[in-house]
Short mmCIF file of all heavy atoms in Angstrom, two decimals:
data_model
loop_
_atom_site.label_atom_id
_atom_site.label_comp_id
_atom_site.label_asym_id
_atom_site.label_seq_id
_atom_site.Cartn_x
_atom_site.Cartn_y
_atom_site.Cartn_z
N ASP A 56 24.01 -23.06 57.67
CA ASP A 56 22.50 -23.08 57.09
C ASP A 56 21.89 -21.79 57.71
O ASP A 56 22.42 -21.12 58.55
CB ASP A 56 21.78 -24.40 57.47
CG ASP A 56 21.58 -24.60 58.98
OD1 ASP A 56 22.13 -23.68 59.82
OD2 ASP A 56 21.15 -25.61 59.44
N CYS A 57 20.73 -21.42 57.26
CA CYS A 57 19.98 -20.30 57.62
C CYS A 57 18.66 -20.68 58.21
O CYS A 57 17.97 -21.39 57.49
CB CYS A 57 19.93 -19.32 56.48
SG CYS A 57 18.83 -17.89 56.96
N LYS A 58 18.42 -20.27 59.34
CA LYS A 58 17.06 -20.55 60.05
C LYS A 58 16.55 -19.30 60.43
O LYS A 58 17.25 -18.56 61.20
CB LYS A 58 17.21 -21.39 61.25
CG LYS A 58 17.77 -22.85 60.85
CD LYS A 58 18.04 -23.65 62.03
CE LYS A 58 18.70 -25.10 61.66
NZ LYS A 58 19.04 -25.84 62.91
N VAL A 59 15.35 -18.82 60.08
CA VAL A 59 14.90 -17.48 60.39
C VAL A 59 13.33 -17.57 60.48
O VAL A 59 12.61 -18.40 59.96
CB VAL A 59 15.21 -16.46 59.17
CG1 VAL A 59 14.64 -17.01 57.78
CG2 VAL A 59 14.71 -15.14 59.49
N ALA A 60 12.86 -16.68 61.37
CA ALA A 60 11.43 -16.60 61.61
C ALA A 60 11.00 -15.11 61.32
O ALA A 60 11.39 -14.21 62.07
CB ALA A 60 10.98 -16.91 63.13
N ILE A 61 10.42 -14.88 60.26
CA ILE A 61 9.95 -13.49 59.85
C ILE A 61 8.47 -13.37 60.32
O ILE A 61 7.58 -13.86 59.74
CB ILE A 61 10.06 -13.36 58.30
CG1 ILE A 61 11.43 -13.54 57.88
CG2 ILE A 61 9.50 -12.02 57.82
CD1 ILE A 61 11.66 -13.56 56.28
N ALA A 62 8.32 -12.39 61.18
CA ALA A 62 6.99 -12.29 61.98
C ALA A 62 6.37 -10.85 61.47
O ALA A 62 7.05 -9.82 61.40
CB ALA A 62 7.20 -12.09 63.48
N MET A 63 5.07 -10.90 61.14
CA MET A 63 4.47 -9.74 60.59
C MET A 63 3.09 -9.67 61.39
O MET A 63 2.33 -10.46 61.71
CB MET A 63 4.15 -10.01 59.16
CG MET A 63 5.21 -10.68 58.30
SD MET A 63 6.66 -9.64 57.95
CE MET A 63 5.96 -8.49 56.85
N GLN A 64 2.93 -8.31 61.73
CA GLN A 64 1.63 -7.96 62.32
C GLN A 64 0.96 -6.97 61.34
O GLN A 64 1.43 -5.90 61.07
CB GLN A 64 1.84 -7.33 63.77
CG GLN A 64 0.46 -6.74 64.32
CD GLN A 64 0.73 -6.25 65.72
OE1 GLN A 64 0.61 -6.96 66.63
NE2 GLN A 64 0.86 -4.83 65.91
N ILE A 65 -0.20 -7.36 60.93
CA ILE A 65 -0.98 -6.52 59.90
C ILE A 65 -1.83 -5.61 60.74
O ILE A 65 -2.73 -6.11 61.53
CB ILE A 65 -1.82 -7.36 58.91
CG1 ILE A 65 -1.05 -8.24 58.21
CG2 ILE A 65 -2.70 -6.43 58.00
CD1 ILE A 65 -1.77 -9.33 57.35
N ASP A 66 -1.67 -4.26 60.55
CA ASP A 66 -2.34 -3.37 61.21
C ASP A 66 -3.55 -2.89 60.42
O ASP A 66 -4.66 -2.49 60.92
CB ASP A 66 -1.55 -2.15 61.49
CG ASP A 66 -0.47 -2.32 62.57
OD1 ASP A 66 -0.72 -3.17 63.54
OD2 ASP A 66 0.60 -1.75 62.60
N ALA A 67 -3.45 -2.89 59.02
CA ALA A 67 -4.54 -2.54 58.17
C ALA A 67 -4.33 -3.20 56.79
O ALA A 67 -3.16 -3.46 56.49
CB ALA A 67 -4.52 -0.98 58.03
N GLY A 68 -5.43 -3.39 56.04
CA GLY A 68 -5.22 -4.06 54.79
C GLY A 68 -6.36 -5.02 54.56
O GLY A 68 -7.06 -5.41 55.35
N SER A 69 -6.43 -5.48 53.23
CA SER A 69 -7.46 -6.40 52.88
C SER A 69 -7.03 -7.10 51.56
O SER A 69 -6.17 -6.59 50.85
CB SER A 69 -8.84 -5.79 52.58
OG SER A 69 -8.80 -4.84 51.54
#
Side-chain angles (χ1 to χ4, degrees):
D56 61 6
C57 176
K58 299 173 182 177
V59 59
I61 298 174
M63 319 292 286
Q64 174 173 277
I65 303 174
D66 293 330
S69 64

